[in-house]
Amino acid sequence: DAGVIQSPRHEVTEMGQEVTLRCKPISGHNSLFWYRQTMMRGLELLIYFNNNVPIDDSGMPEDRFSAKMPNASFSTLKIQPSEPRDSAVYFCASSFKSRGSLLAGLNTGELFFGEGSRLTVL
Amino acid sequence: GDSVTQMEGPVTLSEEAFLTINCTYTATGYPSLFWYVQYPGEGLQLLLKATKADDKGSNKGFEATYRKETTSFHLEKGSVQVSDSAVYFCALKRNYGQNFVFGPGTRLSVLP
């Protein structure tokens, strides 16, 4: 399996520009997560989807951030307009959660991470 | 809410030294526990996991035991190598939800 694929790996842009980060989860996975990692704040969950539906977006910092998952194999995280404080590494991760996991036994549903997109906003 | 606490780094060791990175958690119920490792310039990778009390996860010489009585999941390795230099994250996941809770990470540097 190719794993979680993110693009671009590196992005340098100027303040005010729109940034779009892309993610292809592992085939068959039904949950997708966007994280942001900075030295100051560590790893922060921004949003996650189950079966393409946003479940928890409480970590999205503000209205400048938006995320979509139009189908099971693709998601985007958009920042418009970008600001220097958005500079960070953005990770996408996917996992599989089976239905009826409470009855079927424990389902650890571990996360598989992409290699990240390093964003620098000047 | 649920939380994970890890010992603060950075941790610097000489090659072949014994490693312990402490991790404690706060959660309701019986979460699954994980250790993830992040090598420079890469994403997080699952290192090991445990799903119930007294389970021991192990991989690549690393071990951690799920201790419910002390709500801990300490990571250990008997003899570290330079290639183990990385950031290590402890995490939990409730079995009825999908959200992971990560600790702040502990940076390990192993010197030759």
Side-chain angles (χ1 to χ4, degrees):
Chain A
D1 200 320
V4 176
I5 299 173
Q6 292 187 245
S7 65
R9 290 295 312 277
H10 302 275
E11 174 94 2
V12 180
T13 190
E14 293 187 346
M15 183 174 61
Q17 296 298 305
E18 178 180 294
V19 173
T20 299
L21 307 178
R22 298 173 178 80
C23 175
K24 177 178 168 53
I26 292 174
S27 178
H29 281 188
N30 54 8
S31 296
L32 184 140
F33 303 74
W34 282 101
Y35 285 88
R36 179 171 67 177
Q37 186 178 42
T38 61
M39 289 292 291
M40 292 297 294
R41 301 173 69 92
L43 197 63
E44 304 173 276
L45 176 66
L46 300 178
I47 185 171
Y48 82 90
F49 297 82
N50 271 354
N51 296 315
N52 313 340
V53 177
I55 302 299
D56 182 358
D57 65 354
S58 59
M60 297 285 263
E62 47 198 273
D63 291 346
R64 297 184 298 107
F65 285 69
S66 62
K68 294 182 180 180
M69 192 164 186
N71 57 62
S73 59
F74 184 66
S75 177
T76 59
L77 178 67
K78 187 173 293 187
I79 308 172
Q80 167 61 21
S82 58
E83 297 182 2
R85 60 191 168 125
D86 302 330
S87 298
V89 181
Y90 291 82
F91 288 104
C92 178
S94 69
S95 71
F96 176 74
K97 179 178 183 292
S98 63
R99 293 180 182 178
S101 60
L102 292 177
L103 297 177
L106 293 174
N107 173 31
T108 59
E110 59 254 37
L111 288 176
F112 294 81
F113 283 81
E115 295 191 321
S117 294
R118 180 176 294 277
L119 173 64
T120 302
V121 183
L122 303 175
Chain B
D2 298 348
S3 65
V4 175
T5 303
Q6 290 180 236
M7 63 187 291
E8 290 192 18
V11 174
T12 303
L13 296 174
S14 297
E15 206 165 21
E16 299 184 2
F18 184 85
L19 169 70
T20 299
I21 300 178
N22 290 338
C23 170
T24 56
Y25 68 90
T26 302
T28 55
Y30 302 92
S32 295
L33 301 175
F34 303 81
W35 277 101
Y36 279 81
V37 58
Q38 184 180 28
Y39 299 103
E42 298 183 11
L44 281 70
Q45 305 172 26
L46 179 66
L47 180 59
L48 53 83
K49 66 183 182 186
T51 59
K52 60 184 186 295
D54 300 325
D55 267 3
K56 177 186 283 187
S58 61
N59 185 27
K60 299 181 181 179
F62 290 89
E63 292 183 341
T65 301
Y66 190 141
R67 300 287 188 200
K68 189 175 188 307
E69 63 276 13
T70 55
T71 62
S72 65
F73 193 54
H74 304 322
L75 182 68
E76 296 181 336
K77 187 174 185 181
S79 176
V80 293
Q81 306 300 312
V82 173
S83 57
D84 294 326
S85 298
V87 181
Y88 292 81
F89 292 88
C90 186
L92 68 82
K93 187 184 86 66
R94 291 173 292 171
N95 288 318
Y96 57 86
Q98 269 294 73
N99 198 358
F100 277 69
V101 178
F102 282 88
T106 301
R107 182 176 298 277
L108 169 66
S109 295
V110 180
L111 305 178

